[in-house]
Amino acid sequence: MGSIPTVLKAAQLMALVTFFGGTLHVVRLFVAHRQALAKWEPDRTILTRQFEQLERRALYYLIWPSLVVVLLLGIWMMWQRPGLLKLPFMQVGIGLVAVLIGYHLMVHRLHIRLRKGTMKWSALQLHLWAQGAPILLFALIVLALVRDRLTWLWGALGLLVVGALVMVAITSVRDRGNKDNDAEAGNESP
């Protein structure tokens, strides 16, 4: 099996970091973009144009190139060391990368819908969607940390932790949404 240069491993890690950073950023831009659609003119038009530019730059100049670098280097590394494909942690990792690609394709689809004005998701639903990237990042980090001890027990514990994180995210977003609604109702009263 061939040896993988440290520089390429570092390049893949850097691309993964920029991918996640960009994804975390752009999904939060979607939330702000969606909230801007509820504003009065001319603020709505000004903010919408600004958000469209920021989202486009993040997607096409940061996130997509980073994802392509991650995938190309990953494929090259698997080609250099095909024995890695037999390891359980690598199979789980490839599954997580497939989920990550699906998540990113959905992020791109949300961008298109926002740009066209056909977005049906509320700001709360976008907040919930924004929790997906940190959960996937956490899952990849845990996988990297326990890769030598990966068994069915670790897999089951991982699912429980991810489920708990999803529940915490939903609860925190729901609570924040209720506080925002209460604040808006308080502002409308005389």
Side-chain angles (χ1 to χ4, degrees):
M1 286 193 255
S3 177
I4 300 169
T6 305
V7 171
L8 292 180
K9 290 179 186 177
Q12 186 181 35
L13 183 59
M14 185 63 192
L16 191 64
V17 168
T18 57
F19 170 80
F20 272 106
T23 301
L24 294 168
H25 174 67
V26 80
V27 177
R28 280 164 180 74
L29 282 175
F30 291 166
V31 173
H33 188 159
R34 182 69 173 125
Q35 291 170 337
L37 292 173
K39 300 230 181 255
W40 294 97
E41 289 295 342
D43 294 342
R44 179 184 336 164
T45 303
I46 293 168
L47 289 171
T48 300
R49 286 182 186 155
Q50 287 277 325
F51 285 123
E52 286 173 2
Q53 288 176 356
L54 292 170
E55 292 160 4
R56 187 180 67 248
R57 287 179 188 152
L59 276 169
Y60 293 113
Y61 299 129
L62 179 68
I63 300 170
W64 272 110
S66 297
L67 182 60
V68 168
V69 168
V70 167
L71 293 176
L72 289 176
L73 287 174
I75 290 168
W76 183 81
M77 288 180 194
M78 291 298 103
W79 182 66
Q80 290 293 311
R81 298 188 62 194
L84 289 174
L85 291 172
K86 296 178 183 174
L87 299 175
F89 86 90
M90 190 56 71
Q91 294 168 359
V92 172
I94 290 171
L96 284 173
V97 169
V99 171
L100 185 65
I101 291 169
Y103 182 85
H104 179 65
L105 291 173
M106 187 61 187
V107 164
H108 194 85
R109 187 175 179 190
L110 290 172
H111 166 68
I112 292 169
R113 285 183 176 173
L114 272 169
R115 193 180 73 225
K116 289 181 177 180
T118 59
M119 171 61 70
K120 296 192 191 253
W121 288 16
S122 68
L124 177 63
Q125 289 170 315
L126 287 169
H127 270 295
L128 291 174
W129 184 255
Q131 304 310 314
I135 290 171
L136 284 169
L137 178 59
F138 178 77
L140 285 170
I141 290 170
V142 169
L143 178 64
L145 292 174
V146 300
R147 71 178 182 202
D148 296 332
R149 298 179 299 266
L150 187 64
T151 63
W152 70 269
L153 179 62
W154 279 106
L157 287 174
L159 285 174
L160 288 174
V161 169
V162 168
L165 287 172
V166 168
M167 293 306 296
V168 167
I170 289 171
T171 304
S172 69
V173 170
R174 208 179 272 156
D175 290 345
R176 189 181 318 152
N178 289 339
K179 287 179 187 175
D180 291 344
N181 291 339
D182 292 344
E184 288 175 10
N187 290 339
E188 292 175 3
S189 61

